[in-house]
Amino acid sequence: MATVKDFRTSVKPNWCPGCGDFSVLAALQRAAANLDLDPSQMAIVSGIGCSGRISGYLKAYGFHGVHGRALLAAQGIKMANRDLTVIAAGGDGDGFAIGTNHTIHAMRRNIDITYIVMDNQVYGLTKGQTSPRSTQGFKTKSTPDGSLEREISPLQLALASGVTFLAQGFSGSTKELTKLIEAGIQHKGFSMINVFSPCVTYNKINTYDWFKENIVSLEDDPDYDPSSREMAMQKVMSTNELCTSIIYQEQRPSYTELLPNANHKPIVKQELELGEERFQELVAEFA
C-alpha cells in the first residue's frame, strides 16, 4: 500500500510561505497514495511559473517544460505509454495565456490525463504582473491604473470546449481538493481541475479569506446534477465561477481508446526494431 511519503522528494519547495501551491502538492501526494499508485508508473509534467516547480517536488517521473507547453509533453507521454498515470500542472498564465490553444485542444481530444491549474490570478514568478485571470480593474506593476481587459473564464471555456471532467477546488480546503484530484485521475478521459491557489505575495485581493467568503460548494446543493452540461454552465455563470466540487462529468471514449492500435502494447513496450528486409522495403518505398 502506497503512502504519502512514497511521493515525497528530498527537495524542499521554495514557494513563499503561505503559498497555495503547498496545498496542491500535498493534495496530489495524498490522492496518489489513496489510489495506491506506483511512483514508477506515474509522470508529472509542468510548465513555467511558480506552479511549474511542482514536477520537482513529487516523486515520480518529472518533466519541467517551457511556458504553456506542459500539455503537449503530457499528451506525448500518454501516447507513448498509456499505462502511465500522467499529470500535467501549471498556473493560470501557463494554461490560459500562451497555452490556451493547447488547453482547448486537449479537452476536445479527451486524452486520458489530469490537468491541474494552480490559479492565483497573477504572474507570481515574474514579480506580480496581471495575468489572464486577473479581474478587470486589477492593479499591478504592469497595469498601475487597473487592467482594462476582462478576465478569462476557465470553467466556461472548458465546458464549451468539450471537457469530460471538470472540477474546481481551493487550496484552503485540502481535504476536498484531494478528493477532486482522486476523481480526476480515476476519470477515463481528460480531466481539468482548476484550483484557487492564492498568491500571498502579489495578490492582495483574492486572498484565502476572500475565497472563504465568496466561494460556494456544489456539494451543498442536493439538486445539482454534474452530468448535465447545461446545468453546469448555468451554475458557473450564476456563481461567477466561484464554485467548487465536481462541476461536470460525462463518460465517452478517450482519445487513446479510439486509436487504431488501442489493443496493442504501448509504444514503449513494443519491439520497434526493423528487420533488414522490412528496412529495405521502406527505403525502396521512399526512394
Side-chain angles (χ1 to χ4, degrees):
M1 184 71 184
T3 67
V4 172
K5 188 177 179 181
D6 293 326
F7 296 93
R8 288 176 180 162
T9 70
S10 59
V11 181
K12 184 179 180 181
N14 62 350
W15 292 316
C16 299
C19 174
D21 293 354
F22 281 102
S23 294
V24 178
L25 174 63
L28 179 55
Q29 291 169 328
R30 173 61 63 186
N34 289 348
L35 295 175
D36 198 24
L37 299 180
D38 181 344
S40 69
Q41 293 298 309
M42 185 174 180
I44 180 166
V45 183
S46 60
I48 296 298
C50 297
S51 57
R53 293 167 173 160
I54 196 171
S55 58
Y57 304 148
L58 183 82
K59 189 176 181 181
Y61 288 108
F63 184 87
H64 193 171
V66 295
H67 200 228
R69 302 294 182 262
L71 283 172
L72 288 181
Q75 290 174 89
I77 291 170
K78 190 67 179 183
M79 292 284 288
N81 189 355
R82 59 177 175 271
D83 289 346
L84 288 178
T85 297
V86 180
I87 308 293
D92 49 299
D94 201 63
F96 304 134
I98 192 171
T100 307
N101 268 347
H102 302 306
T103 302
I104 291 172
H105 291 294
M107 288 190 286
R108 75 178 183 85
R109 190 171 293 129
N110 196 34
I111 194 163
D112 188 16
I113 62 177
T114 298
Y115 184 34
I116 300 173
V117 181
M118 287 170 263
D119 182 0
N120 60 14
Q121 298 165 269
V122 74
Y123 282 105
L125 185 67
T126 49
K127 310 300 181 186
Q129 296 90 348
T130 296
S131 89
R133 285 283 296 133
S134 302
T135 53
Q136 192 174 36
F138 193 75
K139 294 182 179 180
T140 67
K141 295 174 183 176
S142 60
T143 54
D145 295 325
S147 173
L148 300 178
E149 300 171 306
R150 292 287 302 274
E151 66 275 18
I152 202 166
S153 302
L155 303 186
Q156 294 179 56
L157 177 71
L159 289 168
S161 300
V163 72
T164 57
F165 181 98
L166 177 64
Q168 187 157 259
F170 171 45
S171 287
S173 182
T174 309
K175 186 176 180 180
E176 180 191 39
L177 181 56
T178 301
K179 291 182 178 179
L180 296 177
I181 294 175
E182 287 179 34
I185 292 174
Q186 291 177 308
H187 178 74
K188 298 303 180 186
F190 187 87
S191 53
M192 187 176 98
I193 304 166
N194 194 62
V195 183
F196 293 129
S197 184
C199 174
V200 295
T201 302
Y202 295 109
N203 190 337
K204 304 300 183 184
I205 303 296
N206 309 111
T207 63
Y208 286 95
D209 288 340
W210 186 89
F211 281 114
K212 289 176 182 177
E213 292 175 3
N214 289 281
I215 58 176
V216 296
S217 174
L218 299 185
E219 291 188 356
D220 296 332
D221 183 352
D223 296 324
Y224 186 71
D225 178 9
S227 69
S228 169
R229 190 180 295 270
E230 181 180 1
M231 184 178 288
M233 186 64 85
Q234 290 176 343
K235 181 62 73 172
V236 298
M237 292 179 71
S238 65
T239 61
N240 196 26
E241 304 222 353
L242 291 170
C243 51
T244 61
S245 191
I246 296 176
I247 310 295
Y248 179 72
Q249 185 171 17
E250 69 166 288
Q251 301 296 332
R252 63 179 165 90
S254 68
Y255 185 85
T256 44
E257 290 175 317
L258 295 174
L259 288 171
N261 62 351
N263 295 323
H264 298 171
K265 290 181 181 178
I267 293 173
V268 296
K269 296 180 180 178
Q270 294 179 22
E271 178 58 63
L272 299 179
E273 291 186 4
L274 291 174
E276 179 63 23
E277 182 178 350
R278 178 58 180 151
F279 177 74
Q280 292 302 332
E281 288 176 357
L282 289 174
V283 171
E285 183 178 349
F286 290 98

